[in-house]
Amino acid sequence: MARMAGAGLLALLSGAANAQSTVQAIAQGDVSVTIYNNDLALIEDVRRIDPGKGEVELAFPDVSAAIQPETVTLTVPEATILEQNFDYDLLSPARLLDKTVGQTVTLMHTNPTTGVDSGEPAKVLANNDGTLIEVGGHIEVLGDIGHSRLVFPGLPPGLKARPTLSVRLDSGHSGARAVTLSYLSHGFSWKADYVALFDQTGSADGAGHIDVQGWITLNNTTGTSFDRAHVLLVAGEVANTLGDGENVPNRRYMPRAPKMEVAGTEASGRERLGDFYVYPIAGRTTLANAQQKQVSFLDVKGAPARKIYRYRNDWRNDGPGNAADPQGAQSVIRFSTGAKDGVGDALPAGMVRVYMRDARGQPQFIGEQAIEHTPMGSTLALPTGEAFDVKVQPTLVKRAKIEAGEWERVARWRVTGEGKAPKIATVDMAVTHWQTTMQYRVTNAQARPITVEVAQAGLDTGWHDTRVPQESLPGEQRTLDERVWQVAVPAQGETVLTVTFDTRN
């Protein structure tokens, strides 16, 4: 029977070959992979083949299983592309059983004593959370039959051992030529990871220096390996239709401590692609499937840095005289990415892990923070945790309503209608201001004096009408929504900051 089946199949293929020839298993060629931050990659694969002349089907195995077929571009000199198909139904025991449902296979039994095999025909009925077969006139669950296994007569059509792109084309002539295949794929990602070692010089203002190492971490979950590839990494979020403009939080009333305090204005010497930075991986590298790979891209020693303390208070407590519990001030490492007094590079988004030396000189982990894409010349302030012995206690001392004057209550507009004389419309607009007095008690249990940056957020909330008639220390209006004070606190002592705000909320 096997010989007859083989002869019949050979005859069928011979008849089809008169109309179309098939070129199979064209191995990966010269591969280039450009990886973006948002689960996207551009893959270019140049393979050298001889398609012959006339209509031919080319099979490209080892393409990404996460390929976006609609993005495929194939360039074959002196040939016309007629059709392309992506075969992603991959061979596995489960899929083999699925494809065999309704067909007859051989159920093999092994005698546990003699080891002798014997077989009988069985029909596969279903393969849903278990395999049901019909054998000997009754129904059996395959797993309940001891020392047994199924033997299949062959592979069902359509199953592929590897993801395969097949293309039908009309070739103008025979002869070897370079065929370029390019496509977009999910399943590739990369991110930056940073290791920062901060050394404080012992000064009261927290001055010191920082060493920063940058590592690129690559992940390949495409289901395919790419051998000896040229790899480019693009830093920046390229636009795609998935999720654009969706689930964007309204941050107007969300006070937050930005890690990038000042956006830089210095141009980096890095290679650019449009508005993005490009990080090429030196030489060729193999991107194995289900592998994480790390490559160094930054190594800076002794950049100026400073340790500061920062406390940020939301607007406001529930009522006069209510005091929140003392809260730990944030311990923050601040440094620049500028060329003159910083790390001297643009930093792609990633996680910064910060270390400091203990009394024995051993680096110890003190915290981590994620950063966004950071231009060169920016100022970064990375909170590493709450200070154990630096506390701030905010208290709402007094809050009262302020009645606005007549000039603030009345608004006038000139209304002009077509063919009519202008009229003056007067509208009463009752405006209410609130005067709020806040007190911030800052304590320091350390053996040296410190400075704590105290910030009051939530002042504006869209009204653009906030005033500070009184404050015990001079402050800086950093934004419409936030005012900041540098509060000097003596060693093992405290400082009380009192501020009065006139606001619309």
Side-chain angles (χ1 to χ4, degrees):
M1 287 293 292
R3 184 173 299 171
M4 289 179 63
L9 179 61
L10 181 60
L12 179 63
L13 291 179
S14 298
N18 293 330
Q20 173 181 305
S21 61
T22 301
V23 178
Q24 293 284 348
I26 305 170
Q28 280 184 358
D30 187 7
V31 178
S32 299
V33 182
T34 302
I35 307 175
Y36 304 88
N37 287 123
N38 49 341
D39 185 33
L40 192 66
L42 172 63
I43 300 170
E44 183 178 89
D45 187 352
V46 181
R47 311 188 186 195
R48 191 163 184 82
I49 62 171
D50 181 358
K53 183 179 180 180
E55 191 171 315
V56 62
E57 182 173 320
L58 303 181
F60 294 85
D62 297 319
V63 296
S64 166
I67 187 175
Q68 294 180 280
E70 66 275 14
T71 68
V72 170
T73 300
L74 183 66
T75 303
V76 183
E78 300 184 61
T80 302
I81 309 298
L82 303 176
E83 180 183 290
Q84 67 184 34
N85 299 284
F86 176 53
D87 301 315
Y88 55 87
D89 197 2
L90 301 183
L91 179 63
S92 68
R95 291 299 295 144
L96 182 57
L97 278 168
D98 287 342
K99 291 280 189 177
T100 316
V101 170
Q103 300 181 24
T104 300
V105 296
T106 300
L107 178 64
M108 299 295 297
H109 305 280
T110 301
N111 188 306
T113 302
T114 64
V116 175
D117 288 336
S118 60
E120 59 180 321
K123 184 178 181 180
V124 180
L125 299 179
N127 186 44
N128 303 313
D129 296 326
T131 304
L132 296 177
I133 59 175
E134 182 180 354
V135 57
H138 54 276
I139 309 300
E140 295 275 1
V141 178
L142 181 60
D144 294 341
I145 307 174
H147 306 287
S148 300
R149 67 188 187 277
L150 294 181
V151 177
F152 300 84
L155 289 178
L159 288 180
K160 301 288 185 180
R162 296 171 291 179
T164 301
L165 180 73
S166 58
V167 179
R168 187 164 60 89
L169 57 84
D170 188 2
S171 174
H173 64 85
S174 61
R177 68 200 79 170
V179 174
T180 303
L181 171 68
S182 66
Y183 56 90
L184 292 175
S185 173
H186 296 299
F188 269 119
S189 65
W190 76 275
K191 64 185 180 68
D193 289 282
Y194 302 90
V195 177
L197 176 62
F198 174 71
D199 280 322
Q200 190 171 344
T201 59
S203 59
D205 63 355
H209 59 268
I210 194 168
D211 301 339
V212 182
Q213 288 183 312
W215 293 87
I216 286 169
T217 303
L218 303 171
N219 281 286
N220 177 10
T221 58
T222 63
T224 304
S225 297
F226 298 87
D227 296 327
R228 293 183 49 77
H230 295 285
V231 179
L232 284 178
L233 308 175
V234 177
E237 301 295 329
V238 297
N240 61 57
T241 57
L242 179 61
D244 276 359
E246 297 180 1
N247 302 319
V248 178
N250 180 1
R251 294 179 176 171
R252 168 176 283 189
Y253 307 114
M254 297 168 59
R256 57 193 182 94
K259 291 174 278 292
M260 189 192 310
E261 291 187 331
V262 179
T265 58
E266 299 180 27
S268 172
R270 292 279 184 182
E271 180 183 346
R272 297 181 66 92
L273 175 64
D275 290 321
F276 308 115
Y277 282 106
V278 174
Y279 295 79
I281 303 300
R284 291 177 178 265
T285 188
T286 294
L287 302 174
N289 180 49
Q291 181 190 66
Q292 186 178 88
K293 181 186 292 288
Q294 285 193 307
V295 181
S296 174
F297 78 100
L298 180 71
D299 191 3
V300 176
K301 305 291 186 184
R306 186 180 302 276
K307 178 183 176 182
I308 65 171
Y309 295 99
R310 183 171 65 189
Y311 175 79
R312 188 183 183 88
N313 191 50
D314 197 3
W315 185 257
R316 56 187 165 75
N317 294 317
D318 291 335
N322 288 354
D325 293 335
Q327 301 169 38
Q330 282 186 329
S331 180
V332 178
I333 305 298
R334 177 181 284 159
F335 61 95
S336 168
T337 62
K340 182 179 180 181
D341 56 354
V343 299
D345 207 345
L347 303 182
M351 185 68 69
V352 183
R353 295 174 176 87
V354 183
Y355 297 77
M356 285 186 69
R357 300 185 191 277
D358 60 21
R360 292 164 294 278
Q362 183 70 26
Q364 301 289 351
F365 176 73
I366 62 170
E368 65 183 17
Q369 279 291 331
I371 62 171
E372 299 178 354
H373 297 304
T374 304
M376 195 164 83
S378 302
T379 299
L380 286 174
L382 305 181
T384 58
E386 286 191 359
F388 185 91
D389 46 15
V390 179
K391 304 291 184 180
V392 181
Q393 185 178 28
T395 303
L396 177 57
V397 177
K398 181 181 179 182
R399 181 168 169 82
K401 185 182 294 186
I402 305 173
E403 297 297 339
E406 178 72 18
W407 65 276
E408 290 180 312
R409 284 198 309 106
V410 179
R412 289 184 173 89
W413 285 271
R414 175 171 293 185
V415 181
T416 303
E418 185 175 354
K420 299 180 181 179
K423 296 189 301 182
I424 302 298
T426 303
V427 180
D428 286 338
M429 294 181 61
V431 177
T432 300
H433 287 80
W434 293 87
Q435 187 167 89
T436 306
T437 300
M438 292 291 300
Q439 189 178 85
Y440 313 86
R441 179 173 175 262
V442 187
T443 59
N444 172 25
Q446 297 186 18
R448 61 183 180 183
I450 61 171
T451 298
V452 180
E453 182 180 284
V454 176
Q456 177 61 64
L459 298 174
D460 184 66
T461 60
W463 291 108
H464 306 336
D465 190 7
T466 299
R467 306 162 192 173
V468 182
Q470 292 180 339
E471 54 188 0
S472 59
L473 293 173
E476 173 193 357
Q477 197 70 28
R478 183 166 290 173
T479 67
L480 288 172
D481 196 62
E482 179 182 275
R483 192 168 181 83
V484 178
W485 299 265
Q486 303 298 326
V487 181
V489 189
Q492 302 182 61
E494 68 176 56
T495 300
V496 176
L497 168 68
T498 304
V499 185
T500 298
F501 305 96
D502 292 347
T503 64
R504 292 284 296 275
N505 63 324

